[in-house]
């Protein structure tokens, strides 16, 4: 659906034109996987796939939503959000919890959320790990900021959205997704320190494309596997504190300290912690590689990151491994790894733009031959964060 169609759909639904359109991008993480809950740094980029929300002021305290991709509509009031019910008293549908949760989290901070009419559509595949949910949240937060005539920092906006997802929708997530969607900078990766919340940008060479390949496979393990990994990291911290009493999280363990004391750790926590400690070091190396435009070093860090997620963190799948291995013999590939929590989902490939077409064709052919499945592939560039069109 293009912007004209979005505009027309809005007019058909509400019998009036929208006042403005918000664009909120998805994101991909270039490096730094499973380090956010260990206080470590991540390296995401906003991508050019985005949610588009057409908005007009509504009447009183009422929000009307038309989710065009889902072909569903709902109306709810802003004065009783915590009840999670629509104007007729029926429970809000799951998809409406995201915008409603954003309004709730903004109100919690004393920010004005006027009634609104919205119709929205997205290019971000749902549930593939490109963070369609954060894009919806940040897009609506921006819409309310625009209508409400207040302004908070983009990072603060992202924090409101994280609160909405954690406490209103009920999904535990870090701050990276909302951060990248809110703070994206065109052509750049974002170095984001999840402990201090400081951030900085690092240029992605202009001739490099972000190619995202969806394996099309999801494992049900995502939830339990994720919680198990978190618990193992906490256990590793407790065990390491015997030797390094100052550490609060794996973020505080230097690679040399890990080498000195890892032999005293239990088997599983040792493997998980090795991934985290070295992944954090890889993120720092990747930032310097980007700053000196050292593509080869960056690619090596990505392959190393994948191997670590496969062998030490054990969150890869045979399909993701195949997608990464195929890239070794394909033209123009700088680096590849699984991206997101794992247990299925997508790989990220950094590819020379002028060879991207051949790369994608080769990847899809190889994947189909090896698995009998079709990989959906998206050619992306690093894009700016949430904005008004
Ligand atoms: P992702 O990894 O894509 O963020 P999540 O499961 O976290 O996957 O979030 C997906 C949810 O976000 C959807 O089930 C829906 O409730 C909401 N959402 C995402 N995209 C849209 C859309 N285009 N229209 C309406 N709701 C959407
Ligand atoms: Mg999500």
């Amino acid at each position: 659906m293009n912007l004209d169609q979005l505009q027309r759909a809005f007019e058909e639904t509400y019998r009036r034109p929208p006042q403005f359109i918000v664009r909120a991008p998805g994101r991909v993480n270039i490096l730094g996987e499973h380090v956010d809950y260990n206080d470590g740094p991540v390296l995401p980029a906003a991508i050019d796939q985005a949610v588009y929300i057409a908005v007009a002021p509504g009447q009183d305290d009422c929000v009307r939503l038309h989710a065009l991709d889902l072909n569903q509509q709902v109306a709810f009031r802003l004065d009783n959000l915590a009840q999670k019910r629509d104007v007729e008293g029926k429970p809000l549908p799951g998809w409406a919890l995201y915008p409603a949760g954003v309004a709730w989290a903004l109100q919690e901070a004393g920010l004005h959320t006027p009634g609104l009419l919205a119709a929205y559509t997205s290019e971000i595949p749902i549930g593939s790990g490109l963070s369609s949910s954060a894009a919806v949240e940040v897009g609506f937060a921006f819409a309310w900021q625009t209508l409400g005539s207040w302004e908070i920092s983009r990072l603060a906006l992202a924090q409101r959205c994280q609160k909405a997802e954690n406490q209103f929708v009920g999904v535990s997530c870090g701050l990276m997704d909302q951060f990248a969607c809110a703070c994206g900078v065109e052509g750049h990766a974002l170095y984001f320190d999840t402990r201090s919340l400081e951030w900085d940008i690092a240029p992605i060479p202009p001739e490099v494309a972000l190619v995202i390949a969806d394996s099309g496979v999801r494992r049900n393990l995502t939830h339990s596997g994720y919680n198990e990994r978190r618990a193992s990291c906490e256990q590793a911290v407790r065990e390491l504190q015997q030797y390094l009493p100052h550490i609060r999280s794996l973020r505080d363990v230097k690679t040399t300290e890990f080498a000195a004391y890892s032999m005293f750790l239990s088997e599983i926590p040792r493997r998980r912690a090795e991934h985290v400690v070295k992944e954090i070091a890889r993120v720092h190396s990747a930032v310097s590689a980007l700053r000196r435009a050292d593509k080869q070093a960056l690619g090596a860090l990505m392959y190393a990151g994948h191997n670590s997620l496969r062998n030490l963190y054990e969150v890869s799948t045979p399909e993701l491994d195949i997608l990464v291995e195929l890239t070794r013999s394909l033209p123009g590939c700088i680096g590849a790894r699984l991206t997101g929590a794992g247990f299925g989902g997508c790989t990220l490939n950094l590819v020379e733009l002028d060879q991207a077409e051949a790369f994608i064709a080769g990847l899809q052919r190889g994947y189909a031959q090896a698995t009998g499945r079709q990989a959906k592939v998206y050619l992306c560039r690093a894009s700016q964060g949430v904005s008004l069109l």
Side-chain angles (χ1 to χ4, degrees), residues 51 67-70 94-96 98 120-122 124-134 136 165 171 177:
V51 175
L68 298 165
D69 306 326
L70 309 178
W95 59 270
Y98 293 85
Y120 56 112
T121 180
S122 175
I124 310 166
I126 292 176
S128 292
L130 302 183
S131 229
S132 67
S133 61
V136 169
E165 184 150 347
V171 175
D177 301 353

Side-chain angles (χ1 to χ4, degrees), residues 352-370:
E352 298 289 350
L353 193 54
D354 59 0
Q355 297 181 72
E357 215 175 301
F359 171 85
I360 291 171
L363 190 66
Q364 287 181 313
R365 199 178 324 114
Y367 190 62
Q369 274 167 7

Side-chain angles (χ1 to χ4, degrees), residues 201-376:
I201 59 176
I204 298 173
E207 73 280 12
V208 173
L210 308 172
V211 175
I212 297 165
D214 189 339
S215 67
V217 181
R218 311 268 175 285
R219 295 273 183 278
N220 295 327
L221 259 169
T222 312
H223 196 66
S224 59
Y226 178 86
N227 290 338
E228 233 174 77
R229 299 302 182 285
R230 284 188 81 135
S232 294
C233 290
E234 285 162 19
Q235 189 182 337
V237 171
R238 283 194 302 274
E239 293 182 7
L240 281 168
Q241 275 169 340
Q242 284 187 263
Y243 313 94
L244 302 164
H246 65 281
I247 65 169
R248 283 192 287 139
S249 66
L250 290 176
R251 164 67 180 273
D252 301 314
V253 181
K254 298 188 181 74
T255 49
T256 45
E257 291 171 335
F258 187 80
Y261 302 111
S262 62
M263 62 194 284
F264 302 117
L265 291 177
S266 320
E267 169 71 11
I268 296 285
R270 183 180 57 69
R271 289 217 296 271
R272 307 300 187 242
E274 180 174 347
H275 165 76
V276 173
V277 170
K278 292 185 178 171
E279 183 83 348
I280 289 170
R282 276 190 291 270
V283 171
H284 290 132
S285 305
V287 172
S288 23
L290 281 169
R291 296 217 162 113
R292 31 173 230 278
D294 185 343
K295 293 187 269 187
Q296 198 176 4
L298 182 64
L301 290 162
M302 289 179 69
Y303 283 117
H306 182 80
N307 285 338
S308 178
L309 288 167
R310 182 187 61 201
N311 301 330
L312 296 173
Y313 224 67
E314 299 180 278
V315 293
S316 190
T317 62
E319 294 82 7
L320 292 169
D321 293 340
I322 288 167
L323 279 172
V324 170
E325 279 320 302
L326 283 167
T327 67
R328 305 271 192 182
S329 54
L330 288 174
C333 192
I334 297 160
R337 64 177 207 96
L338 80 83
T339 184
F343 306 107
C346 296
T347 61
L348 169 66
N349 308 270
L350 294 196
V351 182
E352 298 289 350
L353 193 54
D354 59 0
Q355 297 181 72
E357 215 175 301
F359 171 85
I360 291 171
L363 190 66
Q364 287 181 313
R365 199 178 324 114
Y367 190 62
Q369 274 167 7
T371 66
R373 292 174 176 279
Q374 295 300 319
K376 282 216 182 75

Side-chain angles (χ1 to χ4, degrees), residues 5-235:
Q5 290 167 320
L6 171 61
Q7 183 122 359
R8 245 177 284 136
F10 185 96
E11 287 173 17
E12 267 166 40
T13 308
Y14 301 115
R15 304 281 154 211
R16 54 159 297 179
Q19 191 177 91
F20 57 85
I21 295 179
V22 176
R23 171 190 178 278
R27 67 95 187 92
V28 69
N29 193 16
I30 297 171
L31 207 61
E33 218 63 78
H34 288 281
V35 303
D36 57 346
Y37 50 86
N38 292 293
D39 285 346
V42 291
L43 192 62
I47 56 176
D48 38 11
Q49 269 83 358
V51 175
Y52 295 87
I53 311 175
V55 182
Q59 277 168 354
D60 337 316
D61 239 5
C62 190
V63 172
R64 292 180 188 278
L65 302 177
H66 190 174
L68 298 165
D69 306 326
L70 309 178
N71 199 18
Q72 289 197 51
Q73 298 190 41
V74 77
F76 58 85
R77 299 191 56 80
L78 285 157
D79 56 5
N80 64 351
L81 286 168
Q83 292 175 20
K84 303 187 185 176
R85 295 194 175 265
D86 69 11
V87 284
E88 289 163 8
K90 288 188 294 212
L92 287 177
W95 59 270
L97 293 176
Y98 293 85
V102 169
W104 171 84
L106 293 172
Q107 287 179 3
E108 289 272 293
L111 297 162
H112 178 45
T113 54
L116 62 74
L117 311 174
Y120 56 112
T121 180
S122 175
E123 304 155 335
I124 310 166
I126 292 176
S128 292
L130 302 183
S131 229
S132 67
S133 61
V136 169
E137 291 154 13
V138 173
F140 273 94
F142 206 72
W144 267 302
Q145 171 169 281
T146 307
L147 280 178
S149 307
W150 43 264
E151 192 171 352
I152 58 176
S153 74
R154 285 172 174 256
L155 187 63
L157 216 56
Q159 285 174 306
R160 291 289 104 203
C161 294
Q162 183 200 15
K163 189 180 171 88
E165 184 150 347
N166 287 171
Q167 294 181 24
F168 196 89
V169 183
V171 175
S172 87
C173 58
L175 183 56
M176 171 172 74
D177 301 353
Q178 292 83 1
F179 158 77
C181 177
C183 300
V185 176
E186 192 179 342
H188 289 74
L190 311 168
Y191 170 88
F192 181 49
D193 183 329
T194 66
R195 174 178 275 171
S196 68
L197 305 188
E198 284 168 338
W199 64 282
D200 202 353
I201 59 176
I204 298 173
E207 73 280 12
V208 173
L210 308 172
V211 175
I212 297 165
D214 189 339
S215 67
V217 181
R218 311 268 175 285
R219 295 273 183 278
N220 295 327
L221 259 169
T222 312
H223 196 66
S224 59
Y226 178 86
N227 290 338
E228 233 174 77
R229 299 302 182 285
R230 284 188 81 135
S232 294
C233 290
E234 285 162 19
Q235 189 182 337

